[in-house]
Amino acid sequence: MSKRRLDDVDEQILKFLSRDARISNRKIAAELGITEGTVRSRIKRMQDEKLIRITAVTNIEKLKNPCLAFIWVDVDYSSDVDQIAAQLSEIPAMGFVAKMLGRFDILAITLVQDTEQLTDFLHSNISTIKGIRRTETSLGVNFVKHDYRVSRIVG
């Protein structure tokens, strides 16, 4: 199955949706000079093909004491990276999991309120996974910039 590429109209629709996912199809159509039906069908196709997902995103800047916990994971055997990353991604509180190149094998990110919650999270979720050699954790506590659109499809 080949990956479908987004054309210019798809990209323009996504620019509107990335700024405000509640914008009406009629307004997008008027701005782009196309029909409302075209906008509706393209959004539906992109959703059906899992190219986009329209969802609410928590504004991290409005949370009381947000701390992003960056959990760097080193595994025992490189052959276990896929399986351990999959286990980490199954943890509901985990917002991001990626296989990495460099010093660590996996980066996992979650949101915590304080170091006590982080400690509980690490002991109850991370330390129970077999094959993890060690972890190193960093906390993001002052957010200079948080652009939720960073996860937008870029083509």
Side-chain angles (χ1 to χ4, degrees), residues 3-72:
K3 290 185 179 180
R4 182 179 175 91
R5 303 228 15 116
L6 301 175
D7 66 16
D8 291 338
V9 174
D10 293 335
E11 290 282 345
Q12 290 175 24
I13 291 169
L14 288 176
K15 283 181 185 176
F16 282 99
L17 292 173
S18 70
R19 288 191 294 269
D20 180 4
R22 297 175 301 164
I23 189 171
S24 71
N25 293 344
R26 181 179 298 169
K27 179 142 174 84
I28 294 172
E31 292 285 333
L32 298 179
I34 58 179
T35 68
E36 184 179 352
T38 298
V39 173
R40 183 175 32 262
S41 66
R42 282 177 175 256
I43 291 173
K44 182 175 180 352
R45 176 189 45 80
M46 289 187 284
Q47 287 176 309
D48 290 347
E49 294 177 0
K50 302 199 183 326
L51 294 169
I52 65 169
R53 179 178 39 196
I54 298 174
T55 185
V57 177
T58 303
N59 184 349
I60 198 169
E61 296 164 353
K62 301 295 182 184
L63 298 176
K64 185 177 178 187
N65 294 312
C67 293
L68 276 179
F70 297 83
I71 305 164
W72 301 92

Side-chain angles (χ1 to χ4, degrees), residues 124-138:
S124 62
N125 291 284
I126 308 303
S127 65
T128 61
I129 298 174
K130 296 215 181 316
I132 292 179
R133 179 181 308 143
R134 71 182 184 97
T135 63
E136 188 173 306
T137 305
S138 304

Side-chain angles (χ1 to χ4, degrees), residues 134-147:
R134 71 182 184 97
T135 63
E136 188 173 306
T137 305
S138 304
L139 284 177
V141 293
N142 280 336
F143 303 105
V144 178
K145 179 179 181 178
H146 174 252
D147 188 344

Side-chain angles (χ1 to χ4, degrees), residues 115-125:
T115 55
E116 182 179 341
Q117 185 184 20
L118 175 61
T119 301
D120 290 343
F121 180 81
L122 291 171
H123 289 305
S124 62
N125 291 284

